[in-house]
Amino acid sequence: EVAIHSFFLSCPCRTEDPSEADFFFVPHYSTSLLKTGVYARERLDEMWQRIIPQLKFFKRSKGRDHIFVWAGCTGVDGAFFSWRSFIKDSLIVEIRF
């Protein structure tokens, strides 16, 4: 999650103008928060349920142009188990290690 976030921050493809963006990367550190015990799965899921409707450009394409990266052995189901109801059309990258 951190490495990909850093990449996009310094990538020449990055734009500050949302009207020029082909995709929106949604940075988060849910796996770290889950693995370190900062938040339980249920709490993270609740947080995601509140965050998704607040993403400014999400509704424009029902999230099809939003990229979410999930690291660790649990993937998206670990921290956001209700994702199918919120980001089913988004781009989901899972990094397994």
Side-chain angles (χ1 to χ4, degrees):
E1 294 169 343
V2 176
I4 293 177
H5 186 189
S6 295
F7 167 77
F8 281 125
L9 284 173
S10 62
C11 183
C13 66
R14 184 176 182 213
T15 180
E16 297 290 329
D17 182 354
S19 66
E20 294 177 358
D22 294 317
F23 296 98
F24 295 90
F25 174 67
V26 182
H28 64 91
Y29 299 97
S30 295
T31 301
S32 296
L33 295 170
L34 182 63
K35 294 289 184 186
T36 57
V38 173
Y39 292 115
R41 289 179 73 229
E42 293 74 18
R43 177 74 171 127
L44 284 168
D45 191 73
E46 291 169 6
M47 288 169 51
W48 276 111
Q49 289 180 38
R50 286 193 317 272
I51 290 169
I52 297 300
Q54 295 177 36
L55 295 175
K56 190 172 182 179
F57 299 99
F58 194 84
K59 290 179 185 175
R60 182 171 77 175
S61 69
K62 297 182 182 175
R64 285 187 294 273
D65 55 3
H66 282 60
I67 301 170
F68 295 85
V69 176
W70 303 89
C73 60
T74 60
V76 65
D77 289 313
F80 190 18
F81 50 86
S82 65
W83 69 270
R84 288 169 188 85
S85 299
F86 294 88
I87 62 170
K88 68 179 175 73
D89 296 321
S90 297
L91 299 165
I92 297 173
V93 177
E94 288 194 7
I95 301 169
R96 303 285 178 142
F97 49 88

